[in-house]
Amino acid sequence: MRRPIALLAAALLTGALAVPASAADGDEKFTIKDPRITESSGLAASRQHPGIYWTHNDSDDGAYLYAVDSATGETVATITMSGVGSPRDVEAVSIGPDDQIYVGDIGDNLGGTWPYVWIYRLPEPKNLRDQTIKATQYVVKYSDGARDAESLVVHPKTGRVYIVDKNEKGGHLYEGPSRLSPAGSNTFRPVAAVPDLEATDATLSPDGEHLVVRSYFGAIAYDWNGGKIKKEERLGVPFLGQGESVTYTADGEKLMYGAEGADSPVEPQDAPGSGGSDSNSGSGSSATSDGGGDGLSGNLKTGAIAAGAVLVALFGLRRLMRRG
């Protein structure tokens, strides 16, 4: 009976010590390895595919989106958008309700002189493979005149689209219509100031309650407050070079920061108010959140306790079998 007991022990220990599902959520540091991606300017965590991040090149690279696997840094799918003409300055990507991807062709390298910019919307593919997907194109104008922008977010519940313009003296949060229309133009109006920051990207938490706007060297977290944003705190960001992108992870626990350049890194930071954040608890250690101060993470503790329970159970089972 030793072999069955050994097999049972192996099976139970494998289950007890298995890597938690959260480890596949894509909240670890990675490097974008695709040689085609040299100006990653936007980042969005997939809701359908754990650990996958959508990105794109800056400027007029073409109507392409890349799905990058954070476990390897490799591109696992390249999407070519059809029906959108020739992009001018793609700067942002965001995922809205019903797994719809929104792409912001909203940059203006002429310093805010183009009379209109574009947003593209397409369904996130269920199967990750190279393919062409038809997108809907929306014309965007601003109520107070043309401007440069690199930040676009879509509210995860309402589907409303917002843009933060880029200005070294600080910009504004612009609100789009309740529903974008592919016919005519869509006017975005300023609804809140975003001071003290030259915005290069922004992201909304998965629950739609928090907004983070980043610049090259810092970030600010806001309470969403129905779009009437209220500043919560200033955030430090990892220095990665030309900091151009930020997204919440799919579970909302981390912020992933990216940069332009070949082999560009993407690094996590605890999101404000998350279990690992020190913004509420005063401690940056995840160990303290589950009552321990010995430096073990909650996952390691859980695994150790489970493994101990397995060994105790097996010891008792072996004694019973000897008696029989």
Side-chain angles (χ1 to χ4, degrees):
M1 298 300 294
R2 289 182 179 178
R3 179 173 293 179
I5 289 177
L7 291 174
L8 178 60
L12 289 173
L13 284 170
T14 298
L17 298 176
V19 177
S22 60
D25 288 344
D27 60 359
E28 301 295 330
K29 176 181 177 180
F30 67 95
T31 298
I32 298 175
K33 298 178 180 179
D34 192 328
R36 297 171 298 174
I37 305 173
T38 58
E39 293 184 292
S40 174
S41 187
L43 205 61
S46 172
R47 305 294 190 265
Q48 285 196 86
H49 308 288
I52 297 297
Y53 288 85
W54 292 99
T55 190
H56 53 81
N57 278 317
D58 190 354
S59 300
D60 55 354
D61 171 62
Y64 305 117
L65 286 175
Y66 304 96
V68 178
D69 186 349
S70 62
T72 63
E74 302 288 350
T75 297
V76 295
T78 300
I79 303 302
T80 302
M81 293 180 286
S82 65
V84 300
S86 298
R88 287 187 300 206
D89 192 356
V90 178
E91 291 286 357
V93 60
S94 183
I95 297 180
D98 303 319
D99 297 315
Q100 296 289 304
I101 301 176
Y102 292 74
V103 180
D105 189 358
I106 55 176
D108 189 342
N109 289 329
L110 298 179
T113 59
W114 284 328
Y116 58 85
V117 291
W118 297 303
I119 292 173
Y120 315 127
R121 178 179 60 82
L122 66 154
E124 182 179 19
K126 294 181 179 179
N127 298 313
L128 292 177
R129 56 181 175 80
D130 293 352
Q131 57 191 293
T132 297
I133 299 177
K134 183 174 177 57
T136 302
Q137 178 169 307
Y138 304 100
V139 174
V140 169
K141 295 183 177 182
Y142 299 96
S143 62
D144 52 357
R147 59 204 55 253
D148 186 21
E150 297 186 4
S151 310
L152 176 148
V153 297
V154 184
H155 196 278
K157 295 181 179 178
T158 68
R160 198 161 197 157
V161 182
Y162 297 82
I163 293 172
V164 181
D165 67 326
K166 182 181 181 182
N167 190 308
E168 61 182 8
K169 297 180 180 179
H172 289 82
L173 177 71
Y174 285 79
E175 181 182 73
S178 58
R179 288 289 180 270
L180 297 179
S181 171
S185 61
N186 297 270
T187 301
F188 279 62
R189 305 179 187 281
V191 291
V194 182
D196 307 320
L197 181 118
E198 185 177 9
T200 61
D201 202 9
T203 181
L204 269 168
S205 58
D207 61 6
E209 296 298 325
H210 301 278
L211 172 73
V212 171
V213 184
R214 76 157 299 171
S215 66
Y216 293 115
F217 304 111
I220 297 177
Y222 295 90
D223 176 16
W224 180 246
N225 192 37
K228 299 177 182 179
I229 57 175
K230 294 182 178 179
K231 182 178 177 180
E232 292 181 321
E233 60 181 305
R234 185 173 289 275
L235 306 175
V237 304
F239 179 72
L240 307 173
Q242 185 171 328
E244 289 276 354
S245 57
V246 64
T247 183
Y248 272 91
T249 53
D251 61 8
E253 290 295 308
K254 301 280 186 179
L255 289 166
M256 303 295 285
Y257 291 96
E260 286 194 0
D263 296 316
S264 58
V266 178
E267 290 194 9
Q269 294 281 341
D270 290 330
S274 68
S277 173
D278 60 1
S279 59
N280 291 332
S281 65
S283 170
S285 171
S286 60
T288 58
S289 64
D290 40 273
D294 56 7
L296 284 174
S297 70
N299 290 332
L300 284 176
K301 287 180 180 179
T302 302
I305 293 170
V310 168
L311 292 175
V312 170
L314 285 174
F315 180 74
L317 176 62
R318 191 169 183 178
R319 291 188 62 185
L320 286 173
M321 297 186 72
R322 282 179 177 175
R323 289 179 182 177

